Amino acid sequence: MAVSPFRGAGCAFLTLACLLLVSAPPLAAQYIKRATVVHIEIPPELDGIPDEPFWQRSTPAAEFWDNFPSDSTLAEYPTEIYFASDGQYLYVAARCAAASDKYVIPSLRRDFRAGGNDNITFVFDPFRTGRNAIVFGTNPLGVNREALISNGGETTGDFQEAWDNKWRGNSNISPEGWTCELAIPLRSLRYPTGDSIWRFNAYRYDTQSNSRSSWNRIPRNQIIMSLGYQGELVWERAPDKDSGIGTLIPYVSANRIRDLESADDGGKNGFGVGGDAKLQLSSGLNLDLTINPDFSQVEVDRQVINLTRFEVGFPERRQFFLENADLFGGFGFNTVNPFFSRRIGITKDTATGLAIANPIYYGARLNGQLNDRWRIGLLNMQAQASRRNGLPSYNYTVAAAQRRVGVRSSVGLIAVNKQNFTDFTDSSFTNRDYNRVIGVDYNLASADNTWNGKAFVHTSIAPEVTTEAGQVLPKGDAVFRTTHGLRIQYRKRRYDLGYDHAIVPGGYRAEVGFVPRTDFITVSPEANYRFFPSAGRVAEHGPSVEVRLWFDAGLTRYTDQRSTLGYRFIFRNTARLEWSARYQYTLLTSDFDPSRTGAKALLAGTDYGYTETRLNFRSDSRKAFALEGEVSGGQFFNGKRYGIEAQASYRLQPYAALSLDVVYNYVDLPAPYATTGLLLLGPRVDLTFSKSLFLTGVAQYNDQIDNVNLNFRLQWRYAPVSDFFLVYTDNINSLSGETRNRAIVAKLTYWFNA
């Protein structure tokens, strides 16, 4: 039974209309708090002690509400936040009362995550979209962090802490608690010129009362960084456009690289010069430029043992791609994504299968807010060829636009083009002359986040593969394939209901995206229920159920099923425990070795039904020693599998953190198939000698790919957002003990404001 590629599009327009009806009527208005920003002439001393008289002139953000362990009372220990501005900087001060000075501060490293330590975080949404925000935070020792929130802050994946910007902050500890003062350049923010009201919220983690609280009240069924629950920040004088031109971040680097698996490689010395520039076109719109970018200082990916049939995605950490990353990469679903920035400038090492850099000549990116309704983005990058890895020199262009609809919903358009700019192509269909995707998304977010969802329609355009004289040629007439997806969630205090489906036809190709699987239709309902005990050790518990079904895109056969029943406990000391039982059915559409070790493969056309049990756990993250992970076991295809994934960590506060990642899977299949144990070990040492000098060492032994990876990174932040890096990387064949490749890189960057 053949299915038209446009069937999904028809379904999409029907469901999109339903979503518009859901989001159209405004929901009951929530109580919105207000704080004020007073105008000052003389800036604060920024010693972390808000004792200047002008702080008291502003209406503070006070009376924080608990979000955990309950959400029905004011916080036991008060928090107050004050605001001021001199037209160049936004100054923020906070007073955080505490029971004692026994604070949990795991590290002196910038950009910490909030959970498991004492800190306060300030969330600014100047355009009042309820979708995107800029985050600044600090802790009692004055260790700072900045981040971006996208997609309304619905999941932890919407929080991007790798983003950097130039600002200052300091803290002070006193008998009553701790205080802080921040100076944030207005050029670090994106805001509408002349608008005197911003959306704002703040949340605080207090380890001594073991609570998290927020200024504007956030119910327990919502994540603490949700942008659906914000107050208002009212300026005494609305901020004008900053007079600065922008930012220049040049670098110089030197490296020594050896590929010891190449017989003619005697080592290569390199010297690099390049940099980034941020040109401020308006208070909400930037033009980012990069020439000969170098990402050698970016932390190495954490390796995984992959027992699935599909590719695993890794997060983007490169600074150039991070600001407004959701405007380009937030289309579709995680596994049906038309643009995945790691496709640019990263390829796979043919020896290890690990990600390696593919040099980029240049890049330009126009991105930001035109006004409180419109966001736009345009990206163009040119990458070098990598003949060893079969990669031609491609040009990548992405254009995106997003318009807010209603209170917090939006409609977005995207166009992606990948074009071969050389005469080099490989002899398979892996790298064709071009690949294009166009699409439209509707993102639903009701005012109080009760309704949340997405609908999208994307079409890929790629040349047909033809065969000539026994050789596959990626040239031919354009082939169009359309994919569609829908996700809808309904959230109440006690329960969540969700549904999603996706239709991805065979031949759909988003080569600059992340689509590990095609030729399927998937449907999934899910439900969660929560109990909130008023006393005892358990703060929350409840069951969950999810069923996911897969069919081929022609609806001719049923190919996969995953049904999961679970029960979760969240304890008042922040520990977690979750049990689940899962049934899976798999019809193999191609030969597959479940161990991924090159053993005899299970044959295409065979099917398997198997069950397993999992137990997830996480100890109290406030303790010096913490443990989290998962144990699992049960049937696996035609055999059995037992596994453990765990991370044990110990901190010598605040100067050192030691951790060990352990992943072990024992796969036991009947002869002649694989019976093997697969081990991944990842010890890590993180030393923070001060707030400006850090050393990280990571070793990763991966039994699945017979590789040992060593990575050491020294970072000296000798000036604000200006760094010296020294990075050493080694890949060793774990069977022979011989080094595969080795590199040492020194890099110096400096941040100029113009």
Side-chain angles (χ1 to χ4, degrees), residues 601-612:
L602 302 176
L603 297 179
T606 55
D607 63 340
Y608 307 88
Y610 45 103
T611 60
E612 67 172 353

Side-chain angles (χ1 to χ4, degrees), residues 635-651:
Q635 299 169 323
F636 188 60
F637 290 90
N638 61 343
K640 296 181 179 180
R641 184 193 69 86
Y642 305 95
I644 181 169
E645 297 185 26
Q647 182 185 79
S649 59
Y650 183 77
R651 71 172 187 271

Side-chain angles (χ1 to χ4, degrees), residues 233-496:
L233 195 59
V234 182
W235 292 68
E236 190 173 86
R237 296 186 187 178
D240 293 323
K241 180 182 181 297
D242 182 80
S243 58
I245 300 171
T247 300
L248 181 64
I249 314 170
Y251 81 85
V252 293
S253 68
N255 61 68
R256 169 75 173 173
I257 300 174
R258 293 203 66 188
D259 181 358
L260 284 87
E261 291 186 322
S262 176
D264 58 352
D265 182 74
K268 182 171 61 175
N269 297 322
F271 178 77
V273 177
D276 298 344
K278 290 178 174 290
L279 303 181
Q280 188 175 352
L281 304 183
S282 72
S283 59
L285 195 63
N286 263 21
L287 175 62
D288 298 334
L289 304 172
T290 186
I291 298 176
N292 192 30
D294 175 89
F295 306 112
S296 57
Q297 82 281 5
V298 176
E299 187 173 324
V300 66
D301 288 326
R302 292 200 172 192
Q303 296 182 29
V304 298
I305 288 181
N306 184 11
L307 298 179
T308 73
R309 292 170 286 162
F310 309 109
E311 178 187 8
V312 176
F314 292 94
E316 179 63 86
R317 294 189 176 95
R318 296 172 296 173
Q319 189 67 214
F320 180 80
F321 294 98
L322 295 181
E323 187 169 356
N324 284 309
D326 68 296
L327 179 58
F328 298 95
F331 287 79
F333 294 160
N334 289 339
T335 55
V336 193
N337 188 338
F339 178 70
F340 181 46
S341 60
R342 282 178 61 102
R343 299 295 187 206
I344 303 175
I346 298 179
T347 187
K348 283 188 177 181
D349 188 304
T350 54
T352 65
L354 300 176
I356 60 172
N358 174 218
I360 296 172
Y361 292 119
Y362 68 84
R365 201 174 65 130
L366 175 70
N367 62 99
Q369 296 266 174
L370 288 178
N371 50 47
D372 63 351
R373 289 286 174 182
W374 282 98
R375 297 171 74 202
I376 61 169
L378 179 63
L379 178 146
N380 183 267
M381 304 197 82
Q382 182 70 45
Q384 295 184 27
S386 175
R387 291 181 177 272
R388 174 186 171 185
N389 295 285
L391 190 67
S393 177
Y394 277 111
N395 179 270
Y396 302 87
T397 301
V398 186
Q402 189 179 83
R403 190 187 193 282
R404 185 154 64 97
V405 177
V407 181
R408 298 178 60 232
S409 302
S410 65
V411 174
L413 301 171
I414 189 170
V416 183
N417 184 59
K418 174 185 175 183
Q419 190 79 41
N420 183 1
F421 270 34
T422 66
D423 58 1
F424 163 45
T425 58
D426 63 10
S427 59
S428 73
F429 65 86
T430 304
N431 293 306
R432 310 188 187 198
D433 274 350
Y434 67 87
N435 179 254
R436 293 159 192 156
V437 177
I438 56 174
V440 57
D441 283 35
Y442 175 74
N443 300 292
L444 167 69
S446 63
D448 62 356
N449 219 36
T450 298
W451 290 96
N452 197 278
K454 167 177 283 195
F456 68 84
V457 184
H458 301 157
T459 297
S460 72
I461 309 165
E464 184 180 12
V465 175
T466 60
T467 302
E468 183 177 303
Q471 184 181 23
V472 178
L473 299 176
K475 301 176 184 291
D477 296 333
V479 176
F480 294 74
R481 293 289 185 270
T482 297
T483 181
H484 153 63
L486 166 72
R487 181 178 66 243
I488 185 78
Q489 287 184 313
Y490 180 69
R491 297 175 177 171
K492 299 297 287 185
R493 177 177 171 79
R494 291 280 184 181
Y495 62 89
D496 301 337

